[in-house]
Amino acid sequence: MDPIKNQIAAIDPFDPATEPNGEEALHKMLSGSTVYSDTNPLKSVPSLEERRLRKARIAGGLLLGAAAVTAGVLVASNFGPASSMPAPAVTVDKPTPTASATASATPRPSATPSETPTAASTQVPTPTTSAVATAPVVPPVQAPTLKTFTFPDGHLSFTYPAGWTVTTEQGPYLSEEAKAASVGATIFDESGAKVAIINSGMYGDGTAGNVDRTVYDRAVVSGVKATTGERVEFGFFSNQSQYVPYDGPAYEGMPSPRTGPVDGPPYYAMDVRVASMLEPGLTTSGTNQVPLGNGMMNAYVYFDFEKQPTFATPAAAKAWMGTQQYAQLKAMLLSLSYK
């Protein structure tokens, strides 16, 4: 019986040996370290793990809310206020969002986004000008101011004002072989008055005497080269013929030095000749025949010799040089070209 008794006594709550000491227990409760246990929590009190998970969910929600607010502000800033004018079409590639929610067991402090006032960008509408199709402006057709005349053999040519006219006739010739090449051209201005004569392919002749020449204008005719190698020039000048006395048998028929009076009024000429025939001062009257490959050429402005002097005074001749007619005649003679 003793073993059985001892076992029963061991579990008897009222066994003096197992009776707790109240003062000792109270002292431990008041002065000892507090220990909590979650081995059997109450249903109404959340556990520590549940509280951690809840804080993590709240932090994730706050982050998502802040991202949404920031995205809204950026969209409003980029698109600006609504406008009645259509905006240019743009293509926007939408990225595919990938949502990943990672719950952290450790709660992270999150800064609460503060709303910063942002000045809304105001877009000034740019006025657009619609393209209006207009017909191209065609400049008026300008009538040619010059025409070109070429002699039948194709060697000699010149230009003249478009309002003028040119007629041709058979020129002087010495043989049938030379007949076709000899052609004379007469030039008339817009009023029908004869103003110039140009001969091509003719034979050479003429006489000369002593003159006192005054040259008012001269220039090189670059398009014509004499077969003698001399330079060809345009000139406007006056010739004062000299008195030619005969001083006895030794000088029969020969002019003497200038000792007597002038022989009549000066006569004016405007033509093309070799340079040696255009020297000023006391010289020979020379000739305006220029030797070319197809024969002789002479080109000159027509002055009415029945009304000599053509100009009453040298001053009048110089004044005529400033007129349009003078410029046109000079340009025509300078345009002579031989090929």
Side-chain angles (χ1 to χ4, degrees), residues 220-232 290-293 337-338:
V220 176
V221 181
S222 59
V224 178
K225 305 297 181 183
T227 56
T228 60
E230 289 187 86
R231 185 174 68 251
V232 179
V290 180
L292 299 177
S337 176
Y338 183 86

Side-chain angles (χ1 to χ4, degrees), residues 149 151 155-160 185 187 197-200 220-225 232-234 271-273 288 290 292 297-300 329-339:
F149 176 83
F151 283 84
H155 290 296
L156 188 64
S157 64
F158 63 90
T159 61
Y160 61 98
I187 299 95
I197 295 174
I198 300 176
N199 295 309
S200 176
V220 176
V221 181
S222 59
V224 178
K225 305 297 181 183
V232 179
E233 294 188 0
F234 151 87
D271 60 21
V272 173
R273 56 180 62 197
N288 60 8
V290 180
L292 299 177
M297 175 202 79
N298 71 334
Y300 58 93
L329 290 168
K330 179 180 179 180
M332 181 180 68
L333 295 179
L334 287 175
S335 71
L336 284 165
S337 176
Y338 183 86
K339 297 178 180 179

Side-chain angles (χ1 to χ4, degrees), residues 4-338:
I4 296 173
K5 181 179 180 180
N6 290 336
Q7 291 179 2
I8 294 173
I11 61 174
D12 186 3
F14 297 102
D15 185 5
T18 61
E19 182 179 356
N21 187 344
E23 293 182 358
E24 183 180 357
L26 180 61
H27 177 73
K28 288 181 179 182
M29 291 177 60
L30 297 177
S31 61
S33 59
T34 304
V35 179
Y36 297 91
S37 175
D38 291 335
T39 56
N40 187 21
L42 297 178
K43 291 183 179 181
S44 60
V45 179
S47 65
L48 179 61
E49 185 67 22
E50 288 180 351
R51 287 195 300 270
R52 290 177 178 175
L53 290 177
R54 181 178 179 185
K55 290 181 180 179
R57 293 190 190 99
I58 292 174
L62 291 176
L63 290 175
L64 291 178
V69 171
T70 304
V73 171
L74 292 176
V75 169
S77 300
N78 289 334
F79 286 96
S83 175
S84 59
M85 296 183 62
V90 295
T91 303
V92 179
D93 295 332
K94 296 182 179 180
T96 303
T98 303
S100 60
T102 302
S104 176
T106 304
R108 298 177 181 177
S110 61
T112 303
S114 60
E115 183 177 354
T116 303
T118 303
S121 61
T122 304
Q123 296 181 351
V124 179
T126 303
T128 57
T129 305
S130 59
V132 180
T134 58
V137 178
V138 180
V141 178
Q142 299 291 335
T145 57
L146 295 176
K147 292 183 179 180
T148 301
F149 176 83
T150 303
F151 283 84
D153 63 0
H155 290 296
L156 188 64
S157 64
F158 63 90
T159 61
Y160 61 98
W164 294 9
T165 57
V166 178
T167 62
T168 59
E169 59 184 4
Q170 178 65 55
Y173 59 95
L174 296 177
S175 64
E176 288 297 324
E177 291 79 6
K179 178 179 179 179
S182 181
V183 176
T186 304
I187 299 95
F188 301 86
D189 64 11
E190 60 274 0
S191 68
K194 182 167 62 175
V195 292
I197 295 174
I198 300 176
N199 295 309
S200 176
M202 62 178 289
Y203 63 87
D205 62 359
T207 60
N210 283 352
V211 297
D212 189 4
R213 179 178 295 127
T214 300
V215 178
Y216 297 102
D217 191 11
R218 66 190 299 179
V220 176
V221 181
S222 59
V224 178
K225 305 297 181 183
T227 56
T228 60
E230 289 187 86
R231 185 174 68 251
V232 179
E233 294 188 0
F234 151 87
F236 174 51
F237 55 91
S238 68
N239 283 340
Q240 177 65 67
S241 297
Q242 299 301 298
Y243 177 73
V244 182
Y246 294 93
D247 298 331
Y251 301 98
E252 190 71 29
M254 298 296 293
S256 63
R258 186 173 63 179
T259 57
V262 296
D263 187 9
Y267 65 89
Y268 292 84
M270 184 176 183
D271 60 21
V272 173
R273 56 180 62 197
V274 293
S276 62
M277 297 294 177
L278 196 56
E279 295 303 319
L282 188 61
T283 182
T284 177
S285 60
T287 178
N288 60 8
Q289 295 177 6
V290 180
L292 299 177
N294 67 338
M296 291 291 183
M297 175 202 79
N298 71 334
Y300 58 93
V301 172
Y302 176 77
F303 292 141
D304 189 353
F305 286 97
E306 295 182 356
K307 299 178 181 178
Q308 290 296 338
T310 308
F311 306 100
T313 63
K318 293 179 180 179
W320 181 64
M321 293 173 60
T323 64
Q324 181 183 18
Q325 185 186 46
Y326 179 89
Q328 291 172 326
L329 290 168
K330 179 180 179 180
M332 181 180 68
L333 295 179
L334 287 175
S335 71
L336 284 165
S337 176
Y338 183 86

